[in-house]
């Protein structure tokens, strides 16, 4: 099945509608003309019949066909009349001279005058009128009857009159009219078709122009808005504006991607420079084996967080592009927290952070994607350890529908907290760690797809808290929870 | 030569400091923009190596504050992870003399530092000749009459500074500012001691000295005839 075409639909639709209109109009015109002409013939027939009727009369009590002596009735000036009559009481028939020896077919006796079409004995087409009439009794005859005490009985001698008019000329005229209407209609249709085609082509030219504009764009211009010229038809403006809005969104999305890639690249350059500088320093002088070993360890210490940072960047990119497959499982929230904590215990101890975990009094269950939840909790723990001071305390509290991570965070401002979930934002004023800056944005993206509310708050005593709450449909205390 | 290094990523900061120190530079290092600015405004540096993305004050703000001060024309090399043309233009327009994108080779950073200090002291060649003494700043070697003279890093730094300002009288304070770390104990006597070591190694004691004492003021390096 071929694709729908506006051009074809417009052309066929308007062509068909115009064709039907022209045909109907032509037919109506033709029928009106034919009706008028045939009505005129009918008028002629009835007038002629009336003339004949008064010429079948009684004269001194005897029925006579006086019309035979009337030249205008037997040979009409147009000579196109043919008639025949039958005396219904005797069966005697009389016919007009124009019929010669031929007879008209005898029609059935009508109750009232009746018109018909027929073919004359000479093969020509004709219109006919059939009527029943009684012999005429005029004034003189009535005087004669009164003088002779005679009573007429015209009803006893009814006559059937069948009068016809040769319509050869009419049919020829009607044929010419029909031909003129058909040829004229076809010519009009053809002309209209050409005009419609040109109008459609002209109307659709802006679409082609837009199409050319879009297809000729270079890769760098793909998301640039389309210029709307004043000549653009108003019907296309809403679509073009909507398309430009879409392009703007694409531009913004691409810009976000570009910025993200740029930020990621920038952020990874510094730790990479650290690795390079460490190795260069190692090679700058002859050193002892243990010194080399130490420096390789230093480089490795830089590479591991760098690798984790790259993994987080990739993970974040995958989540944002919707590539992550979710697999929901049911598990205790505290179990997931304790499992995650095990990976951070050494780090917390090494950095002298005290972590207070919630008591295992309740054991709420969550139905969620556990690997993603572990990454979320891990990043929040990592963030708390990074930004709390040495000997600082990190408290994790169990909430009715989630968890709260609270830690001391001197030097972190409200402005820092407001931007905490933006990529590559460094919190606080301490030495910057270029391998951070992705953890919290990743938390935000994970929270979004796991339907978890995540927010950061700062209190007056320089305590920062990150609160995650499962939204009702994903809550930890669902109906199946023990 | 005394350098100020302002870089907030500790591993990179420590490695640059270590490398430049082996290149006989005295390096002060800082991890924040405000502290770096304080150092720059309160010490005499031959070159400043400045990161852009810094806590408290960013590198551009530090640079603008420095250049806003009358007479502060210390050469500044910006080191940054930002590598677009706009970033470079912004850094150079803010008053940087050079722009180096991370990651970079430490040897390249050192070469750029040398180039900037040459320009600062008006010596375009990496080799400085003062009378019979020839100092190669690239490989940090010193020769006198085709004989290589072995110097300690401190002695080399002292000689290089005097050579860059050859013909000028340099005060002990200036020598202290440009050749000694803040943490170095002692006083200007320390300068006199090292001048003594240097004179001995250069063979100044055998004839008319290249390093002349300007009594009550400091020292001047120059051919005996000057």
């Amino acid at each position: 099945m071929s694709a729908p075409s506006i051009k074809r639909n417009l052309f066929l639709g308007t062509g068909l509608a115009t064709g039907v209109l022209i045909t109907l109009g032509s037919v109506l015109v033709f029928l009106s003309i034919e009706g008028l002409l045939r009505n005129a013939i009918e008028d002629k027939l009835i007038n002629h019949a009336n003339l004949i009727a008064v010429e079948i009369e009684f004269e001194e009590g005897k029925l006579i066909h006086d019309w035979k002596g009337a030249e205008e009735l037997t040979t009409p000036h147009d000579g196109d009349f043919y008639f025949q009559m039958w005396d219904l009481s005797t069966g005697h028939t009389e016919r007009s001279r124009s019929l010669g020896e031929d007879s008209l077919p005898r029609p059935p006796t009508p109750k009232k005058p009746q018109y018909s079409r027929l073919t004359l004995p000479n093969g020509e087409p004709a219109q006919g009128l059939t009527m029943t009439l009684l012999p005429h009794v005029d004034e003189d005859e009535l005087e004669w009857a009164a003088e002779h005490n005679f009573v007429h009985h015209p009803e006893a001698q009814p006559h059937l009159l069948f009068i016809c008019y040769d319509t050869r000329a009419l049919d020829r005229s009607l044929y010419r009219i029909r031909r003129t209407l058909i040829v004229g209609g076809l010519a009009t249709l053809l002309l209209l078709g050409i005009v419609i085609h040109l109008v459609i082509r002209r109307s659709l030219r802006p679409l082609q122009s837009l199409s050319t504009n879009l297809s000729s764009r270079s890769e760098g211009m793909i998301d640039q808005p389309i210029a709307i010229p004043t000549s653009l038809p108003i019907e296309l403006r809403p679509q073009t504006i909507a398309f430009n809005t879409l392009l703007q969104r694409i531009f913004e999305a691409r810009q976000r991607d570009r910025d993200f890639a740029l930020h990621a690249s920038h952020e990874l350059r510094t730790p990479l420079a650290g690795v390079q500088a460490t190795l260069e320093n190692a090679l700058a002088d002859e050193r002892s084996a243990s010194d080399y070993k130490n420096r390789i360890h230093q480089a490795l210490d830089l590479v591991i967080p760098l690798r984790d940072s790259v993994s987080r960047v990739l993970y974040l990119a995958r989540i944002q592009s919707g590539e992550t497959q979710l697999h929901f499982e049911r598990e205790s929230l505290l179990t997931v927290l304790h499992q995650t904590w095990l990976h951070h215990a050494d780090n917390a101890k090494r950095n002298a952070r005290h972590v207070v975990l919630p008591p295992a009094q309740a054991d709420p269950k969550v139905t969620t994607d556990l690997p993603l939840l572990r990454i979320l909790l891990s990043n929040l723990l990592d963030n708390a350890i990074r930004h709390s001071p040495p000997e600082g305390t990190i408290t994790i509290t169990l909430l009715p529908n989630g968890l709260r991570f609270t830690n001391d965070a001197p030097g972190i401002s409200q402005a820092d907290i407001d931007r905490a979930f933006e990529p590559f934002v460094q919190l606080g004023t301490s030495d910057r760690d270029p391998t951070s800056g992705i953890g919290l944005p990743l938390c935000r993206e994970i929270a979004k797809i796991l339907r978890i509310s995540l927010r950061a708050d700062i209190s007056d005593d320089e305590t920062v808290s990150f609160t995650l709450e499962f939204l009702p449909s994903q809550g930890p205390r669902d109906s199946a929870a023990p | 030569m005394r350098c100020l290094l302002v870089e907030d990523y500790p591993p990179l900061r420590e490695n640059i400091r270590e490398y430049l120190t082996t290149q006989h530079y005295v390096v002060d290092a800082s991890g924040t923009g405000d502290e770096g600015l304080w150092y720059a405004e309160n010490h005499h540096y031959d070159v400043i190596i400045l990161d852009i993305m810094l806590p408290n004050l960013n590198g551009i703000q530090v640079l603008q504050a420095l250049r806003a001060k009358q007479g502060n024309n210390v050469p500044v090399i910006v080191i940054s992870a930002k590598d677009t043309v706009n970033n470079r233009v912004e850094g150079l327009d803010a008053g940087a003399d050079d722009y180096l994108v991370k990651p970079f080779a430490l040897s390249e950073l050192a070469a750029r530092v040398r180039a900037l200090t040459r320009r600062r002291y008006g010596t375009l060649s990496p080799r400085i000749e003062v009378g019979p003494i020839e100092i190669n700043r690239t490989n940090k070697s010193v020769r006198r009459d085709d004989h290589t003279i072995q110097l300690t890093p401190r002695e080399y730094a002292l000689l290089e500074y005097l050579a860059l300002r050859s013909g000028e009288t340099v005060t002990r304070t200036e020598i202290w500012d440009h050749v000694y770390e803040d943490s170095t104990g002692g006083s200007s006597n320390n300068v006199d001691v090292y001048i003594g070591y240097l004179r001995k190694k250069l063979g100044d004691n055998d004839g008319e000295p290249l390093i002349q004492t300007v009594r009550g003021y400091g020292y001047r390096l120059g051919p005996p005839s000057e």
Side-chain angles (χ1 to χ4, degrees):
Chain A
M1 189 177 168
S2 63
S5 157
I6 293 175
K7 193 173 177 178
R8 191 173 57 222
N9 288 348
L10 278 174
F11 189 72
L12 289 179
T14 50
L16 190 66
T18 314
V20 168
L21 277 176
I22 288 174
T23 307
L24 279 176
S26 302
V27 168
L28 283 174
V29 168
F30 177 77
L31 290 177
S32 299
I33 293 171
E34 186 184 25
L36 284 172
L37 293 174
R38 290 201 185 277
N39 283 345
I41 290 175
E42 284 172 4
D43 288 345
K44 280 184 183 178
L45 284 170
I46 194 82
N47 288 337
H48 215 73
N50 285 334
L51 287 174
I52 292 168
V54 295
E55 297 296 333
I56 304 169
E57 59 184 345
F58 285 105
E59 196 172 300
E60 294 179 355
K62 290 182 185 171
L63 183 70
I64 61 162
H65 289 265
D66 210 16
W67 51 270
K68 286 184 178 175
E71 190 68 18
E72 68 277 13
L73 292 180
T74 53
T75 51
H77 60 91
D78 51 6
D80 290 329
F81 284 99
Y82 302 83
F83 61 87
Q84 188 168 357
M85 64 187 74
W86 292 266
D87 185 339
L88 296 177
S89 58
T90 61
H92 177 74
T93 184
E94 293 286 346
R95 59 178 67 82
S96 66
R97 222 177 297 164
S98 55
L99 274 173
E101 293 302 315
D102 294 328
S103 288
L104 293 173
R106 179 176 169 173
T109 307
K111 289 181 179 169
K112 57 181 183 179
Q114 202 163 7
Y115 295 101
S116 61
R117 292 192 199 172
L118 70 156
T119 303
L120 292 170
N122 60 9
E124 298 300 335
Q127 254 180 271
L129 169 64
T130 312
M131 61 190 292
T132 308
L133 51 90
L134 298 175
H136 183 65
V137 182
D138 63 13
E139 292 289 326
D140 293 341
E141 184 63 12
L142 286 173
E143 283 177 14
W144 177 83
E147 285 171 12
H148 296 86
N149 203 20
F150 185 81
V151 179
H152 293 93
H153 292 285
E155 66 281 359
Q157 287 180 286
H159 281 69
L160 175 66
L161 173 64
F162 187 23
I163 179 165
C164 300
Y165 185 81
D166 186 339
T167 57
R168 243 180 319 176
L170 172 68
D171 282 1
R172 272 200 299 274
S173 298
L174 288 176
Y175 172 76
R176 279 197 297 274
I177 291 168
R178 196 163 49 229
R179 193 180 56 191
T180 304
L181 286 173
I182 289 171
V183 171
L186 285 175
T188 309
L189 198 60
L190 183 66
L191 191 66
L192 275 173
I194 292 168
V195 170
I196 289 167
H197 173 74
L198 291 175
V199 169
I200 290 171
R201 212 170 88 168
R202 189 181 169 84
S203 301
L204 293 179
R205 199 169 293 156
L207 271 179
Q208 287 167 344
S209 169
L210 281 179
S211 170
T212 309
N213 179 323
L214 288 173
S215 59
S216 64
R217 289 177 157 223
S218 62
E219 198 170 331
M221 297 258 307
I222 283 174
D223 49 15
Q224 295 301 306
I226 304 167
I228 302 179
T230 50
S231 58
L232 191 72
I234 52 171
E235 291 82 0
L236 285 179
R237 279 172 190 265
Q239 288 78 5
T240 312
I241 289 167
F243 192 66
N244 274 346
T245 308
L246 178 67
L247 286 177
Q248 180 63 26
R249 285 190 198 146
I250 293 171
F251 173 78
E252 286 166 4
R254 288 184 81 202
Q255 187 62 44
R256 270 199 302 277
D257 287 349
R258 277 195 290 265
D259 289 347
F260 183 83
L262 205 62
H263 274 124
S265 160
H266 287 165
E267 291 298 314
L268 296 177
R269 278 170 187 270
T270 299
L272 206 55
V275 174
Q276 184 174 345
T278 305
L279 295 174
E280 249 189 283
N281 254 340
L283 293 172
D285 278 319
E286 286 298 321
R287 299 177 190 280
S288 66
S290 65
D291 195 7
Y292 277 125
K293 200 172 170 184
N294 277 341
R295 286 171 189 271
I296 291 169
H297 271 301
Q298 284 172 17
L300 204 56
D301 285 346
L302 299 180
V303 167
I304 290 168
L306 184 61
R307 180 201 61 194
D308 294 344
S309 186
V310 169
S311 300
R312 280 198 290 267
V313 168
L314 279 174
Y315 219 101
L316 184 57
R318 282 194 188 126
I319 288 178
Q320 284 180 334
S321 65
E323 280 181 31
T324 308
Q325 296 277 327
L326 297 180
H327 177 62
F328 285 89
E329 292 172 79
R330 195 169 164 72
E331 184 56 278
S332 150
L333 183 57
L334 285 183
T335 303
V336 181
L337 175 65
H338 281 280
Q339 287 168 349
T340 310
W341 159 244
L342 290 178
H343 295 284
H344 292 270
D346 285 346
N347 187 26
K349 193 176 172 186
R350 199 166 48 243
N351 289 287
R353 284 2 176 228
H354 304 293
V355 178
V356 180
L357 294 170
Q361 291 168 343
D363 191 16
K365 297 282 177 78
V366 288
T367 302
T368 188
D369 185 288
L370 295 179
L372 279 184
L373 181 61
R374 284 193 192 101
I375 293 171
L376 170 59
L377 298 179
S378 180
N379 281 330
L380 289 178
L381 268 169
D382 182 60
N383 183 66
I385 293 169
R386 275 176 197 271
H387 294 103
S388 59
E391 300 301 333
T393 301
I394 298 157
T395 307
I396 305 171
T397 316
L398 186 66
L399 303 175
N401 55 348
L403 291 167
R404 176 174 294 139
F405 294 72
T406 309
N407 62 281
D408 304 326
I412 290 186
S413 64
Q414 182 63 49
D416 288 329
I417 291 298
D418 292 342
R419 300 184 60 212
F421 294 109
E422 291 177 24
F424 309 110
V425 167
Q426 299 284 335
L427 300 181
T429 57
S430 57
D431 276 350
R432 192 169 60 101
D433 180 357
T435 58
S436 68
I438 287 292
L440 290 178
L442 185 56
C443 287
R444 184 187 58 181
E445 294 300 323
I446 292 173
K448 258 191 226 167
I449 58 174
L450 295 186
R451 292 185 46 74
I452 294 171
S453 149
L454 178 63
R455 68 171 194 278
D457 300 291
I458 186 168
S459 59
D460 293 339
D461 59 349
E462 295 194 314
T463 302
V464 168
S465 64
F466 285 86
T467 307
L468 65 94
E469 292 176 293
F470 287 79
L471 296 175
S473 60
Q474 293 283 126
R477 296 177 193 279
D478 59 29
S479 58
Chain B
M1 294 288 106
R2 192 183 197 89
C3 297
L4 172 63
L5 169 63
V6 192
E7 162 62 55
D8 63 340
Y9 184 44
L12 183 59
R13 185 172 68 228
E14 290 312 312
N15 276 291
I16 293 175
R17 188 224 288 262
E18 182 183 342
Y19 188 83
L20 290 179
T21 303
T22 63
Q23 299 288 307
H24 310 308
Y25 290 98
V26 176
V27 182
D28 293 331
S30 168
T32 62
D34 52 353
E35 188 186 57
L37 181 60
W38 182 86
Y39 268 105
E41 287 179 337
N42 291 283
H43 294 76
H44 293 101
Y45 291 105
D46 295 294
V47 68
I48 295 175
I49 301 164
L50 182 64
D51 187 16
I52 292 290
M53 289 185 283
L54 291 167
N56 301 342
L57 271 184
N58 69 42
I60 297 294
Q61 290 169 315
V62 171
L63 202 46
Q64 285 167 342
L66 266 182
R67 295 303 187 221
K69 245 186 143 181
Q70 280 287 328
N72 193 323
N73 56 358
V74 57
V76 175
I77 301 178
V78 164
I79 53 172
S80 175
K82 295 185 171 183
D83 65 341
T84 63
V85 171
N86 284 344
N87 296 144
R88 290 166 198 253
V89 168
E90 186 189 20
L92 293 170
D93 280 350
D97 298 273
D98 200 355
Y99 195 105
L100 193 56
V101 175
K102 296 175 186 174
F104 48 79
L106 292 176
S107 52
E108 184 183 353
L109 175 66
R112 287 175 187 253
V113 168
R114 281 195 299 274
L116 283 183
T117 52
R118 276 202 307 272
R119 218 177 297 158
R120 178 169 170 74
Y121 291 104
T123 55
L124 296 179
S125 166
R127 293 197 310 179
I128 309 169
E129 289 182 27
V130 183
I133 303 287
E134 183 188 308
I135 301 167
N136 187 328
R137 296 187 68 211
T138 305
N139 60 18
K140 311 290 179 192
S141 65
V142 178
R143 296 172 69 85
R144 178 166 186 166
D145 299 331
D146 294 333
H147 294 292
T148 302
I149 298 169
Q150 296 296 334
L151 298 179
T152 64
R154 175 66 46 76
E155 290 161 359
Y156 174 83
L158 181 54
L159 178 63
E160 185 187 57
Y161 183 63
L162 290 173
L164 284 169
R165 298 188 61 184
S166 63
E168 293 178 43
T169 300
V170 183
T171 66
R172 287 182 179 81
T173 310
E174 285 175 321
I175 293 172
W176 184 264
D177 278 350
H178 287 268
V179 178
Y180 289 82
E181 295 94 347
D182 279 348
S183 59
T184 309
S187 62
S188 58
N189 286 341
N190 203 311
V191 176
D192 296 337
V193 170
Y194 271 90
I195 289 287
Y197 292 158
L198 203 54
R199 278 178 170 154
K200 192 174 176 185
K201 288 190 178 178
L202 293 176
D204 267 14
N205 297 335
D206 302 335
E208 202 169 340
L210 275 170
I211 302 172
Q212 299 146 34
T213 304
V214 181
R215 197 165 296 280
Y217 203 75
Y219 299 96
R220 185 164 64 89
L221 179 69
S225 55
E226 283 184 19

